[in-house]
């Protein structure tokens, strides 16, 4: 809170190097820059928290609430610095530049080498919030040296510059810094800009208010901060390579950041291929066939001339579908063109998916599955409704995927299904994510489907690949849960007579999996909707 009872601007004009109006605009420009940098730090922490820890809603709430609280604390603490506002502001901006600029590096290092980043996240949120909160009170004291307005008008100008700067920072982070520079270099560059703006303002505009010792302290501190940030920027590629080796091992072959996510491929030459999306193990050649056979083949019992795959950009679900000779068309709706591009071009991944994208029956659409289903309903399904819909999507417990497991989403799916058509849904682990798994089942039923739940297991060692999160190198689940659904009555579970020879799936095993999963049932769960998502319990 900025105090309204600010005294009229002091008459120290002889000590100021520029005219009052020019000085005022320079200070407002620095307010704009610092606000933009501050919001980038906030968004950086939110993005890192969601990426490293998961559950983006919870982590964003923790980061933002802690930072807002800390900003209030910082505003109160700034009162002690108002007698030396210029010197205090210079030190504050140097500290904020170093803290915010290094936050991504430190959080990554904490997560990778210590296995935990929650405490570091809260610490950075608290410290960054305190420093940001102290900015405006100190700037209020500084701008009063130049302002000819009353206190209310000065406050309005400061907040206007602050809010517009926050807007620019908020837009620059996702559209410029993240795609062009990445999280680590983007944060370091933001810190450097912050240090130059804050230090430059004080050392030039208010240099006559500083003692010789204060000037040397500020110069030394800012030079050290910029040197540290520059050194980190030079070494950031080496840091990323070391971090990837620590997380993924020595066999990292591909590491790219697409417009949607981070994609890492390991192995494929001297070891089993593994595909990670945003740190989550999505595919392992050691046992991916167990997951994909269980997801696809029960849905193929019945007509399967036209098949829709939602997700599955790796081509592995399409591989299983194409093993049926009477399949005429397969439509893959994939959000990330980068994953599909790798599935077409990476030799090991292309071999694993049987070069599915080279089959003329496969048509690829790059779109969000929810948005695409809405558009298809408006314009009609090209070629008619689908006999089978395969939902090969990330775990519903991952917050970004929650809408793809909502009642509204399944309602859209009913519109593209042929009469008697089957929907197969990956629904999380019934063993370790019971609430999530049975919420998917309840949501399907609320959308008008009859369901038949079942599950499949990974290797006896407990290793599991698929759309389920892996933390600290340990699989989050040792099995996969699925739901087979048709509009109206519950579908029969089994395999088609023309089913190809499968490596891991048998009819008897399917029935045993269905009986076993019933023992985990949680009754009375409400459906998940867009306005009331219920996953994460």
């Amino acid at each position: 809170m900025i105090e309204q009872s600010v005294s009229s601007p002091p008459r120290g004009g002889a000590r100021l190097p520029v005219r009052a109006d020019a000085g005022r605009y320079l200070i407002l420009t620095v307010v704009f820059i610092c606000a933009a940098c501050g919001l980038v730090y906030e968004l950086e922490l939110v993005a890192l928290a969601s990426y490293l820890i998961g559950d983006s809603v919870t982590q964003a709430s923790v980061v933002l609430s802690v930072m807002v609280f800390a900003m209030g604390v910082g505003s109160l603490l700034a009162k002690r610095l108002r007698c030396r506002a210029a010197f205090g502001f210079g030190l504050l901006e140097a500290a904020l530049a170093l803290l915010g600029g290094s936050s991504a590096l430190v959080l990554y290092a904490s997560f990778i080498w210590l296995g935990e980043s929650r405490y570091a996240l809260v610490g950075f949120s608290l410290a960054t919030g305190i420093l940001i909160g102290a900015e405006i009170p100190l700037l209020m004291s500084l701008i009063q040296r130049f302002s000819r307005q009353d206190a209310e008008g000065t406050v309005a100008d400061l907040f206007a510059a602050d809010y517009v700067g926050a807007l620019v920072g908020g837009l620059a982070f996702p559209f410029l810094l993240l795609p062009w520079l990445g999280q680590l270099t983007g944060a370091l560059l933001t810190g450097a800009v912050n240090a130059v703006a804050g230090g430059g303002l004080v050392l030039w505009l208010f240099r006559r208010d500083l003692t010789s010792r204060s000037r040397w302290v500020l110069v030394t501190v800012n030079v050290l901060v910029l040197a540290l940030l520059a050194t980190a920027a030079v070494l950031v590629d080496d840091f990323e390579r070391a971090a990837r080796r620590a997380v993924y091992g020595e066999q990292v072959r591909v590491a790219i950041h697409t417009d949607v996510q981070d994609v890492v491929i390991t192995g494929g030459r001297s070891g089993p291929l593994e595909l990670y999306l945003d740190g989550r193990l999505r595919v392992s050649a050691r046992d991916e066939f167990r997951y994909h056979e269980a997801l696809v083949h029960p849905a193929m019992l019945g007509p399967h001339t036209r098949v829709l795959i939602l997700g599955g950009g790796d081509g592995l679900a399409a591989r299983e579908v194409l093993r049926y000779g009477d399949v005429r068309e397969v439509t893959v709706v994939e959000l990330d063109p980068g994953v599909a591009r790798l599935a077409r071009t990476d030799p090991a991944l292309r071999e694993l998916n049987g070069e599915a994208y080279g089959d003329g029956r496969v048509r690829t659409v790059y779109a969000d599955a929810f948005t695409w289903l809405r558009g298809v309903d408006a314009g009609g399904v090209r070629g008619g409704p689908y006999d089978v819909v395969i939902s090969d999507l990330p775990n519903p417990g991952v917050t970004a995927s929650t809408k793809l497991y909502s009642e509204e989403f399944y309602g859209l799916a009913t519109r593209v299904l042929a009469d008697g058509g089957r929907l197969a849904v990956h629904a999380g682990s019934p063993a370790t994510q019971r609430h999530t798994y049975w919420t998917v089942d309840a949501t399907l039923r609320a959308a008008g489907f009859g369901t038949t739940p079942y599950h499949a297991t990974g290797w006896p060692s407990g290793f599991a690949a698929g759309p389920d999160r892996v933390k600290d190198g340990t699989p989050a689940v040792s099995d996969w849960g699925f739901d087979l659904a048709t509009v109206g009555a519950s579908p029969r579970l089994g395999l088609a007579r023309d089913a190809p020879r499968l490596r891991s799936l048998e009819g008897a095993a399917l029935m045993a999996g269905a009986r076993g999963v019933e023992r985990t049932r949680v009754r009375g769960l409400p459906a998940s909707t867009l306005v009331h998502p219920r996953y994460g319990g």
Side-chain angles (χ1 to χ4, degrees), residues 83-98:
C83 58
R84 300 187 67 189
F87 182 67
F89 181 75
L91 287 180
L92 182 147
E93 290 306 304
L96 184 57
L98 182 61

Side-chain angles (χ1 to χ4, degrees), residues 3-12 82 140-152 154:
E3 295 183 356
Q4 300 288 322
S5 56
V6 180
S7 58
S8 58
R11 298 182 179 277
R82 290 183 65 185
M140 183 68 185
S141 296
L142 295 177
I143 201 171
Q144 285 292 298
R145 299 291 306 275
F146 296 90
S147 180
R148 297 174 179 175
Q149 302 182 84
D150 54 21
E152 289 79 2
T154 302

Side-chain angles (χ1 to χ4, degrees), residues 350-375:
R350 191 176 65 210
E351 179 182 359
L352 189 63
N353 65 35
E355 300 192 1
Y357 283 108
D359 193 303
R361 293 173 289 174
V362 175
R363 179 173 72 99
T364 309
V365 177
Y366 299 118
D368 172 75
F370 195 105
T371 304
W372 185 81
L373 284 176
R374 292 181 67 181

Side-chain angles (χ1 to χ4, degrees), residues 30-261:
V30 171
V31 172
F32 171 88
I33 295 171
C34 291
C37 294
L39 198 66
V40 169
Y41 300 146
E42 291 185 39
L43 295 175
E44 186 76 42
L45 290 174
V46 170
L48 284 168
S50 302
Y51 176 62
L52 299 178
I53 303 174
D55 191 356
S56 57
V57 172
T58 300
Q59 305 313 324
S61 299
V62 169
V63 170
L64 295 178
S65 58
V66 169
M67 289 193 75
V68 171
F69 163 76
M71 288 168 66
V73 175
S75 295
L76 292 174
L77 294 177
K79 289 182 177 181
R80 299 177 179 272
L81 298 174
R82 290 183 65 185
C83 58
R84 300 187 67 189
F87 182 67
F89 181 75
L91 287 180
L92 182 147
E93 290 306 304
L96 184 57
L98 182 61
L99 189 73
S102 66
S103 60
L105 282 168
V106 175
L107 284 172
Y108 266 116
S110 173
F111 176 78
I112 291 164
W113 284 287
L114 301 180
E116 179 58 71
S117 56
R118 295 178 189 273
Y119 298 115
L121 172 69
V122 172
F124 271 102
S125 301
L126 187 64
T128 304
I130 288 174
L131 294 175
I132 292 175
E135 285 178 325
I136 292 295
L138 294 179
L139 285 165
M140 183 68 185
S141 296
L142 295 177
I143 201 171
Q144 285 292 298
R145 299 291 306 275
F146 296 90
S147 180
R148 297 174 179 175
Q149 302 182 84
D150 54 21
E152 289 79 2
T154 302
V155 169
D157 288 343
L158 280 174
F159 275 126
D162 188 70
Y163 294 152
V164 174
L167 171 66
V168 172
L171 295 176
F173 178 72
F175 296 115
L176 295 177
L177 295 177
L178 200 57
W180 287 6
L181 299 175
Q183 290 178 318
L184 303 184
T185 305
L188 293 168
L189 177 63
T190 303
V193 171
N194 199 163
V196 170
L201 177 76
V202 173
L203 289 170
W204 180 66
L205 195 59
F206 294 98
R207 63 184 182 275
R208 296 174 184 172
D209 288 355
L210 302 173
T211 64
S212 176
R213 180 181 177 183
S214 296
R215 282 196 296 272
W216 277 110
V217 167
L218 287 179
V219 169
T220 302
V221 168
N222 277 277
V223 168
L224 285 174
V225 167
L226 290 172
L228 288 171
L229 293 175
T231 302
V234 170
L235 299 176
V236 73
D237 289 339
D238 293 332
F239 173 86
E240 286 193 72
R241 284 191 289 270
R244 288 196 192 103
R245 287 195 298 270
V247 173
Y248 303 112
E250 298 292 332
Q251 298 188 38
V252 175
R253 289 194 300 105
V254 177
I256 61 173
H257 181 80
T258 70
D259 292 338
V260 178
Q261 59 200 334

Side-chain angles (χ1 to χ4, degrees), residues 288-301:
E288 58 78 20
F289 61 91
R290 297 173 182 269
Y291 166 82
H292 289 100
E293 288 182 356
L295 172 66
V296 171
H297 292 284
M300 304 296 279
L301 176 59

Side-chain angles (χ1 to χ4, degrees), residues 365-395:
V365 177
Y366 299 118
D368 172 75
F370 195 105
T371 304
W372 185 81
L373 284 176
R374 292 181 67 181
V376 165
D377 176 62
V381 180
R382 191 182 83 171
Y386 293 97
D387 303 306
V388 177
V389 175
I390 306 292
S391 181
D392 185 16
L393 297 166
N395 192 299

